[in-house]
Amino acid sequence: MSKKHPVIAVTGSSGAGTTTVKRAFEHIFTREGIKAAVIEGDSFHRYDRAEMKVKMAEEGLSHFGPAANLFDKLAEVFKTYGETGAGERRYYLHSEEEAAEHNARLGTDKKPGEFTPWEPIPEGTDLMFYEGLHGLVKTDDVDVSQFVDLGIGVVPVVNLEWIQKIHRDNAERGYSADAIVDTILRRMPDYINYITPQFSRTDINFQRVATVDTSNPFIARDIPTPDESFVIIRFADPKKFDIDFPYLINMIPNSFMSRRNTIVVPGGKMGYAMEIILAPIIDRMMEQAKAD
């Protein structure tokens, strides 16, 4: 654990709501004048897009497991940054726009689906911010979670997660229903072994729960909207961050407590709730860093 160079990890599968968390952190960083070293989980995949397609077809690999990811490299980056405020990062190029931006910056000729070269993290950053699949992953060989100062889990209930995946893969990637189901089945062992256990190592979990029928996600015609959802916010240890539940209940309309360490908020208030909860935690982390 580091106080001078904190490491914050947001972990959750694509479509789970990690973008909302990332936006909340960006707002906090901007307001507080915090310079973050941003690390993207996709940049720690072991294979580029073309290579991964071959591995998926020939070996049945999924993006969730250690065979397809550089867990040791991720742990090294977290550890090095926590100790020194330095380290290396690279980018996975998702689109033509990202490729053009980084090629212009680095003088390279990389294509979408490829990685940029490893490069030094800029000097003078205040903290590291990771968003991806494996921020708190732990295997028999590697424990990434031990180097994280603030771990945030973002996960919908599994049927809602499947609905989001089905709609995304169909609309954005043109996958058939059968192909999507095959992907879910192929990924399931790695999901159970490497994704789900992370949410027991987080400091705070944000879990979205639909208030409409999602009992058969494979025939759902629509993704439940935020207004058709609640967000369950669970604190592993409320005392660690001095969580003031009466204050949160007062500040977030229509929220309530369901357990001594859990608050429930309307789905449409998820981003607002994140900022209300996380801003004081980040402030204290920065005060500790300055004190060191």
Side-chain angles (χ1 to χ4, degrees):
M1 296 285 282
S2 166
K3 291 184 178 180
K4 190 170 181 60
H5 307 290
V7 175
I8 299 173
V10 176
T11 190
S13 56
S14 179
T18 51
T19 300
T20 303
V21 185
K22 186 176 180 180
R23 190 175 300 117
F25 272 104
E26 287 172 348
H27 291 167
I28 295 169
F29 295 158
T30 299
R31 284 198 306 268
E32 302 299 326
I34 294 170
K35 185 178 180 182
V38 178
I39 301 293
E40 299 175 352
D42 288 352
S43 64
F44 292 88
H45 289 329
R46 191 178 300 274
Y47 305 107
D48 65 24
R49 187 179 296 166
E51 293 169 333
M52 189 60 185
K53 284 184 178 180
V54 174
K55 292 290 183 179
M56 288 166 60
E58 295 181 352
E59 302 176 26
L61 291 192
S62 84
H63 283 105
F64 293 155
N69 293 281
L70 303 173
F71 292 164
D72 54 346
K73 181 66 174 178
L74 179 58
E76 176 192 328
V77 170
F78 281 8
K79 181 177 186 293
T80 301
Y81 186 87
E83 293 174 348
T84 68
E88 287 188 326
R89 68 179 177 185
R90 67 178 179 180
Y91 295 91
Y92 176 82
L93 303 174
H94 296 87
S95 64
E96 292 284 356
E97 292 77 14
E98 287 186 9
E101 175 188 347
H102 288 289
N103 283 332
R105 182 176 64 85
L106 297 169
T108 53
D109 187 25
K110 298 294 183 178
K111 300 178 179 61
E114 298 180 345
F115 300 102
T116 65
W118 291 100
E119 59 183 299
I121 291 169
E123 295 181 1
T125 56
D126 299 306
L127 54 79
M128 175 170 283
F129 179 79
Y130 166 95
E131 185 263 319
L133 288 170
H134 299 110
L136 292 106
V137 74
K138 182 178 179 180
T139 70
D140 292 338
D141 302 314
V142 180
D143 181 3
V144 174
S145 65
Q146 67 179 309
F147 304 115
V148 174
D149 297 285
L150 174 61
I152 308 292
V154 188
V155 56
V157 292
V158 68
N159 278 18
L160 179 54
E161 183 170 356
W162 287 348
I163 290 173
Q164 292 177 153
K165 175 173 178 52
I166 291 165
H167 280 256
R168 182 198 65 200
D169 284 0
N170 178 262
E172 296 180 10
R173 302 174 184 176
Y175 294 173
S176 68
D178 288 344
I180 296 168
V181 172
D182 286 344
T183 299
I184 290 172
L185 292 173
R186 174 172 48 80
R187 289 179 169 185
M188 189 55 63
D190 283 342
Y191 186 90
I192 292 170
N193 289 318
Y194 301 106
I195 302 298
T196 302
Q198 295 181 97
F199 303 114
S200 295
R201 304 182 194 115
T202 48
D203 295 297
I204 309 172
N205 281 339
F206 294 85
Q207 183 178 43
R208 186 173 163 218
V209 179
T211 56
V212 296
D213 184 11
T214 62
S215 52
N216 185 350
F218 303 105
I219 64 168
R221 289 175 294 186
D222 302 295
I223 300 174
T225 66
D227 289 336
E228 296 173 322
S229 310
F230 281 113
V231 176
I232 316 299
I233 308 172
R234 190 272 298 174
F235 301 84
D237 180 7
K239 292 181 180 179
K240 179 179 179 181
F241 299 112
D242 194 24
I243 302 301
D244 186 342
F245 287 109
Y247 170 77
L248 295 177
I249 293 292
N250 184 60
M251 289 295 294
I252 306 170
N254 301 314
S255 61
F256 60 92
M257 291 190 68
S258 59
R259 287 189 174 179
R260 58 170 292 278
N261 65 340
T262 304
I263 184 172
V264 182
V265 306
K269 294 294 184 181
M270 181 174 173
Y272 173 70
M274 288 175 175
E275 294 196 40
I276 291 290
I277 291 166
L278 296 171
I281 295 174
I282 301 301
D283 284 344
R284 283 195 292 273
M285 293 177 76
M286 290 296 93
E287 289 173 3
Q288 289 178 339
K290 291 176 182 176
D292 287 354

